[in-house]
Amino acid sequence: MIAITLLEKYNGIIKNYKNGDLIFEEGNQPLYYYQIISGEVKMNNYNDEGKEFIQGIFYKNQCFGEPPLFIDQVYPANAVAVTDSELIVITKDKFLELLKNNSDISLAIIKNLSQRLYYKSVMAAEISSQDPEHRVLRLIDYSIEQLNFKKEEAGFLINFTRQQIGDLTGLRVETVIRAIKSLEKKGDLKIINRKVYR
Amino acid sequence: MIAITLLEKYNGIIKNYKNGDLIFEEGNQPLYYYQIISGEVKMNNYNDEGKEFIQGIFYKNQCFGEPPLFIDQVYPANAVAVTDSELIVITKDKFLELLKNNSDISLAIIKNLSQRLYYKSVMAAEISSQDPEHRVLRLIDYSIEQLNFKKEEAGFLINFTRQQIGDLTGLRVETVIRAIKSLEKKGDLKIINRKVYR
DNA sequence: TATTTTATATGATTTAAGTCATAAAATGCA
DNA sequence: TGCATTTTATGACTTAAATCATATAAAATA
């Protein structure tokens, strides 16, 4: 998103997180702008019964957790490193200052937020009113478009576990497994030693 | 959102829609920026079986349908007038020009998108993994916060039909009706001649 | 005002996804 | 290398919400 050199000019600090580390927690006041230098971060919630819902997974060069920064609300979800990750962090004040001085960044932020809102709109409609196979396939197609899944001979390698697909679509693992099997039978995707290709 | 006088400077045109009129359709190329002068607009999708999902309801002074404008994608949902409505519309080019010349508007857009993303995040987690009563109550509480529901002696009047609540939460009317009844029994809300108060 | 349409309401039944149990690969790690 | 954990897999069963049917009240409209 934002050039690291620019972030460093605004007192950017490099922070390292181990796989599983909590970066921020639902309900906390947002204080920083976070951008991924390397690694992978998910934002998630847990419902009353402890079931996880993954809001999104973020990769290299992406930022996350800005919306509450702009609207002075607490975080609606947790951020957790899903691999060892290196982040660059600047304070809210510095971030707003950076924005003010760099109008092109504003447009980049607008585009990024728009993209995420688009994803949420599509998935909201899917999750609320489509059958499991439809939901899984839509998530896969959207992820191929947006994330950098590798294209191999068999097709795009879907780099998600069945559990992650479940947590992103609001389905249980078993349901995802059965949906994927059924989609394979219909020829919509391939399973090659347990990996999913589309 | 944006002052009407300013929109008029950028060739803003007033358009009138009757209750039920389609403003734009899922799958179409976005060409305009839309802002509500008076009336009420919903954005919705229909699933394969024709079940409606309401992405959001928008009121006076709010804009809608900008995200695809920024990211050059087709509309992910329809926009439909739910009351007779007066909108002001400017072309995409003029809108981007307006943004470039008014950096304070950029921040307003960022805040607006952030607010909507926040709503989607909260509702996504709710819809995917909470029971009907929880979903209904969260929608109601969120809507009280965000929309201008009137505070009366009995509490905030929830200005939604049961059907609308169902379409916003992905539940069927009957389920919403039963959830509301049950929430009333628990004292979480009031029903006074069929109207819901919280 | 009468009539149609929309919204709320409730009971009975169905069904799809969740839950539970169990197992075997695959992967991580000590 | 061996052991523990995670991931994928499958069958049996349960259950919560959807579906269906029907009714009545309220609102819209002719």
Side-chain angles (χ1 to χ4, degrees):
Chain A
M1 278 288 303
I2 303 178
I4 293 174
T5 48
L6 185 58
L7 289 170
E8 279 168 341
K9 277 185 199 139
Y10 287 83
N11 304 345
I13 296 171
I14 308 281
K15 285 200 177 188
N16 284 285
Y17 295 87
K18 290 241 158 274
N19 178 2
D21 281 358
L22 189 67
I23 299 161
F24 57 70
E25 203 173 355
E26 183 178 352
N28 282 176
Q29 285 292 338
L31 301 170
Y32 303 101
Y33 167 85
Y34 295 90
Q35 187 172 309
I36 302 174
I37 295 175
S38 70
E40 218 168 294
V41 172
K42 70 177 171 185
M43 290 196 61
N44 69 5
N45 299 95
Y46 294 94
N47 78 352
D48 298 346
E49 281 89 48
K51 183 174 183 292
E52 181 177 10
F53 176 73
I54 300 180
Q55 293 282 352
I57 302 181
F58 301 89
Y59 302 87
K60 192 180 167 179
N61 294 327
Q62 293 188 298
C63 56
F64 58 88
E66 327 87 80
L69 213 60
F70 290 116
I71 53 175
D72 292 311
Q73 300 220 43
V74 298
Y75 283 119
N78 313 293
V80 180
V82 289
T83 64
D84 293 356
S85 302
E86 193 180 17
L87 309 185
I88 182 160
V89 173
I90 66 174
T91 63
K92 178 178 172 176
D93 289 350
K94 282 286 168 188
F95 176 55
L96 295 178
E97 193 186 319
L98 185 159
L99 270 192
K100 197 177 272 177
N101 301 340
N102 298 271
S103 60
D104 51 320
I105 303 280
S106 284
L107 191 61
I109 295 282
I110 287 176
K111 285 185 178 177
N112 185 254
L113 291 174
S114 294
Q115 187 62 63
R116 279 149 67 184
L117 198 50
Y118 198 90
Y119 167 78
K120 291 276 180 204
S121 299
V122 170
M123 287 311 297
E126 285 293 321
I127 285 175
S128 95
S129 59
Q130 296 286 5
D131 61 283
E133 291 180 26
H134 207 287
R135 278 150 85 167
V136 168
L137 207 55
R138 279 289 239 152
L139 174 77
I140 286 175
D141 284 344
Y142 188 90
S143 301
I144 287 171
E145 255 181 64
Q146 297 302 321
L147 311 176
N148 41 4
F149 285 160
K150 279 187 221 105
K151 172 102 183 174
E152 302 185 5
E153 322 82 69
F156 287 98
L157 170 62
I158 308 311
N159 197 23
F160 285 145
T161 65
R162 313 288 195 270
Q163 183 65 64
Q164 282 180 320
I165 293 175
D167 294 341
L168 283 159
T169 54
L171 298 167
R172 308 251 70 152
V173 217
E174 298 94 324
T175 307
V176 173
I177 289 168
R178 292 188 250 253
I180 287 176
K181 290 255 151 173
S182 163
L183 286 165
E184 191 205 18
K185 246 179 214 156
K186 291 179 186 166
D188 289 321
L189 37 78
K190 283 175 202 154
I191 308 178
I192 300 169
N193 55 53
R194 299 171 152 216
K195 288 177 198 302
V196 179
Y197 295 86
R198 163 85 171 162
Chain B
M1 275 285 306
I2 303 178
I4 293 175
T5 49
L6 184 58
L7 289 169
E8 279 169 339
K9 277 187 198 137
Y10 286 82
N11 304 343
I13 298 170
I14 308 281
K15 286 199 176 189
N16 285 284
Y17 294 88
K18 288 243 159 273
N19 178 2
D21 281 357
L22 189 67
I23 300 162
F24 57 71
E25 204 173 353
E26 183 178 351
N28 282 178
Q29 284 293 337
L31 301 170
Y32 303 101
Y33 166 86
Y34 295 90
Q35 187 173 310
I36 302 174
I37 295 176
S38 69
E40 218 169 293
V41 172
K42 70 177 172 187
M43 290 196 60
N44 69 5
N45 299 95
Y46 294 93
N47 78 352
D48 298 346
E49 282 87 50
K51 182 174 184 292
E52 181 177 10
F53 176 73
I54 300 179
Q55 293 283 351
I57 302 180
F58 300 90
Y59 302 87
K60 190 179 168 180
N61 294 327
Q62 293 187 298
C63 55
F64 58 90
E66 327 88 79
L69 213 60
F70 291 115
I71 53 174
D72 292 312
Q73 300 220 43
V74 299
Y75 283 118
N78 312 294
V80 181
V82 288
T83 64
D84 293 355
S85 301
E86 191 179 19
L87 309 185
I88 182 160
V89 173
I90 66 173
T91 64
K92 178 179 171 175
D93 290 349
K94 283 285 169 190
F95 176 54
L96 295 178
E97 193 186 319
L98 185 158
L99 269 193
K100 197 178 274 177
N101 301 339
N102 299 271
S103 59
D104 51 320
I105 303 279
S106 285
L107 191 61
I109 295 284
I110 287 176
K111 285 185 180 178
N112 185 253
L113 291 173
S114 294
Q115 187 61 62
R116 278 148 69 184
L117 199 49
Y118 198 89
Y119 168 78
K120 290 279 181 204
S121 298
V122 169
M123 287 311 295
E126 285 294 321
I127 286 175
S128 95
S129 58
Q130 296 286 8
D131 61 284
E133 290 179 27
H134 207 287
R135 278 149 86 168
V136 167
L137 207 54
R138 277 289 241 155
L139 175 78
I140 287 175
D141 284 344
Y142 189 89
S143 302
I144 288 172
E145 254 182 65
Q146 297 302 321
L147 313 175
N148 42 3
F149 286 159
K150 277 187 222 107
K151 172 105 186 173
E152 302 185 5
E153 324 81 68
F156 287 99
L157 169 62
I158 308 310
N159 197 23
F160 286 144
T161 65
R162 312 287 196 272
Q163 184 65 64
Q164 283 179 320
I165 293 174
D167 293 340
L168 282 160
T169 54
L171 297 166
R172 308 251 72 149
V173 218
E174 298 95 324
T175 306
V176 173
I177 289 168
R178 291 187 251 252
I180 287 176
K181 289 256 153 171
S182 163
L183 285 166
E184 190 205 18
K185 246 180 216 158
K186 291 179 186 166
D188 289 322
L189 36 79
K190 283 175 202 154
I191 307 178
I192 300 169
N193 54 54
R194 299 173 152 218
K195 288 178 199 301
V196 179
Y197 295 87
R198 161 87 170 164

